[in-house]
Amino acid sequence: MAEDLVLDTAIRDWVLIPLSVVMVLIGVLRYFVSKLMRSYQVPDAKIVKEGQVIVRARNLRSGANFIPSKAFRARRVYFSNEENGLLFVPKGQAQNAQAQMFSDPNMAMDMMKKNLSMIIPQTLTFAWVNFFFSGFVAAKIPFPLTQRFRSMLQNGIDLSTVDVSYVSSRSWYFLNLFGLRGLFSLILGEENAMDDTQRMMQMSGFGFDPTKSLSAEKDSLDIVQHEWALPKFEQRAEAVLRKLVS
Amino acid sequence: MAGGSEKKSSEDANDLQTFNAENLQSNMKVIYYSRTFLSIIGGVIAGILGFTGLTGFIFYFLIMAITSIGLIAKAKFSVHSYFDSWNRIILDGFFGGLMSFVLFWTFAYDIVHIF
């Protein structure tokens, strides 16, 4: 129903492939640069201690059912006791640590560096694409879209009768942006890919971690109902052994 | 390829869920990698074969289903010893693979058919 435009081979050679190659290379470059630039910050002793306390509390919560109830309760009191419990942080102190985290120059600089190293290559590449590769049809996407997408996908092309499937190079750029994430995670290993949104979430969450999560841990520890699992273990061992033997 | 996961699965007698977190995570990674890889390959195949529109997406679902079946078969059909729920092995990484699939589908389709 739609006429099949035949596009110049030169477009394929000089637009599609170079753009993809450039984006892959920039991704790889960014990965190595971020590895080199990762400054080693000396961990603050207090923060590490708090982190370890949280880990201990979490372990207690997950293993609560394997220890007798008196032992569990003793441990719980040790953590959430009002006066000297490890997890109990008076309100005034809590606010302080948070403010300190933000005004700490090292941490702020780190966050800035990481954010910038994400945003700058994307912006530069986008500007480059817009400057060089605008005004012509770059690719045809194999599935039909409605007319609403026309303005988004075809922004350089001023003909309104061309099928929406024929897109400009800007949309090819965006397609690459999202699609190469999977490829990067395969090549660079261990999901070091452009999970920029994920990393931004991580970075913004890190600043608040020690203070708020202490009270969160305390609350969830208080909630736990102790149910000793050991009496039932004999049945379970019997079932497992039976399965093994039969 | 579902990693050497030595974990204790949940017992139906008493809801004790004990999982080795590290192994669970490594299994998740395995699922993610296989899905991504297969969606890329599937995209190239769909483009070369000239699928358009809905056919292409049906092909994508087919590839995902084959991935799921392959993973389940590799886990020797006892999903609960390796993962903590059915949903993981079936649905995880579904939409992440979609973008890669569409990219490589467009790429291959254009190279083969339009130019």
Side-chain angles (χ1 to χ4, degrees):
Chain A
M1 59 181 171
E3 74 293 353
D4 247 0
L5 291 182
V6 173
L7 299 173
D8 196 359
T9 313
I11 299 185
R12 170 188 60 181
D13 290 343
W14 294 100
V15 175
L16 288 195
I17 296 186
L19 193 53
S20 298
V21 165
V22 162
M23 289 187 76
V24 169
L25 288 180
I26 286 187
V28 171
L29 191 70
R30 178 200 312 200
Y31 168 67
F32 283 124
V33 164
S34 71
K35 260 188 131 171
L36 287 177
M37 279 205 329
R38 191 161 304 171
S39 57
Y40 180 66
Q41 48 180 171
V42 176
D44 190 13
K46 186 169 184 301
I47 296 183
V48 170
K49 251 203 299 190
E50 281 174 0
Q52 292 300 92
V53 163
I54 293 176
V55 169
R56 269 177 76 187
R58 215 172 284 164
N59 282 343
L60 175 64
R61 207 164 15 115
S62 60
N65 293 331
F66 294 113
I67 48 179
S69 72
K70 217 182 288 187
F72 171 67
R73 251 176 270 144
R75 284 178 175 83
R76 180 158 69 178
V77 162
Y78 173 65
F79 274 116
S80 47
N81 193 12
E82 295 290 299
E83 293 104 38
N84 53 0
L86 292 182
L87 289 181
F88 190 73
V89 175
K91 280 290 187 310
Q93 217 177 33
Q95 299 294 0
N96 240 349
Q98 187 170 329
Q100 191 185 42
M101 182 88 34
F102 262 141
S103 62
D104 191 14
N106 266 345
M107 174 110 19
M109 253 254 296
D110 257 351
M111 273 166 52
M112 287 287 291
K113 261 196 283 190
K114 291 203 169 85
N115 277 347
L116 281 185
S117 79
M118 290 297 147
I119 296 184
I120 284 195
Q122 279 188 21
T123 320
L124 281 180
T125 316
F126 188 54
W128 177 64
V129 165
N130 267 346
F131 180 64
F132 278 113
F133 298 130
S134 60
F136 56 89
V137 169
K140 177 183 194 296
I141 47 179
F143 48 91
L145 289 173
T146 61
Q147 298 297 321
R148 276 185 299 146
F149 288 100
R150 180 182 289 271
S151 64
M152 182 166 69
L153 297 176
Q154 277 191 349
N155 70 321
I157 307 164
D158 293 324
L159 303 170
S160 55
T161 52
V162 174
D163 208 2
V164 190
S165 301
Y166 292 95
V167 300
S168 68
S169 37
R170 187 190 284 196
S171 43
W172 177 246
Y173 169 74
F174 279 119
L175 200 59
N176 267 5
L177 196 64
F178 292 122
L180 286 180
R181 255 191 282 180
L183 191 68
F184 282 141
S185 72
L186 282 182
I187 303 180
L188 304 176
E190 305 283 315
E191 307 209 24
N192 268 323
M194 302 171 33
D195 44 12
D196 37 8
T197 46
Q198 201 182 9
R199 204 178 301 186
M200 270 195 270
M201 279 196 303
Q202 242 181 13
M203 274 300 118
S204 62
F206 186 61
F208 304 134
D209 231 11
T211 56
K212 290 220 177 94
S213 63
L214 277 188
S215 37
E217 273 302 318
K218 173 172 175 311
D219 289 337
S220 37
L221 199 55
D222 284 339
I223 292 179
V224 169
Q225 301 268 24
H226 181 258
E227 189 190 303
W228 197 14
L230 277 191
K232 307 202 195 86
F233 260 34
E234 292 175 329
Q235 268 97 320
R236 181 173 156 166
E238 177 197 347
V240 168
L241 283 176
R242 233 181 252 279
K243 247 196 300 184
L244 281 180
V245 165
S246 66
Chain B
M1 203 129 320
S5 54
E6 262 351 292
K7 66 329 65 178
K8 289 175 290 246
S9 65
S10 69
E11 189 61 39
D12 43 325
N14 46 348
D15 243 339
L16 262 193
Q17 300 243 356
T18 53
F19 290 101
N20 185 349
E22 228 177 75
N23 283 338
L24 206 61
Q25 214 179 15
S26 126
N27 288 350
M28 287 297 128
K29 262 190 221 159
V30 163
I31 297 184
Y32 180 71
Y33 286 154
S34 14
R35 271 199 205 279
T36 312
F37 187 64
L38 274 180
S39 51
I40 291 180
I41 303 275
V44 174
I45 294 180
I48 294 181
L49 291 180
F51 291 145
T52 58
L54 207 53
T55 323
F57 285 112
I58 294 181
F59 187 68
Y60 177 67
F61 286 130
L62 201 64
I63 294 274
M64 286 295 116
I66 292 182
T67 317
S68 298
I69 293 183
L71 285 169
I72 293 178
K74 179 72 183 180
K76 298 191 192 70
F77 291 104
S78 63
V79 170
H80 283 294
S81 351
Y82 291 102
F83 304 99
D84 50 356
S85 81
W86 273 103
N87 287 344
R88 305 273 197 167
I89 200 174
I90 294 185
L91 292 181
D92 187 46
F94 199 76
F95 289 110
L98 186 65
M99 294 310 310
S100 307
F101 174 78
V102 166
L103 171 69
F104 282 93
W105 182 21
T106 309
F107 201 40
Y109 183 80
D110 283 347
I111 289 188
V112 171
H113 290 271
I114 304 288
F115 290 111

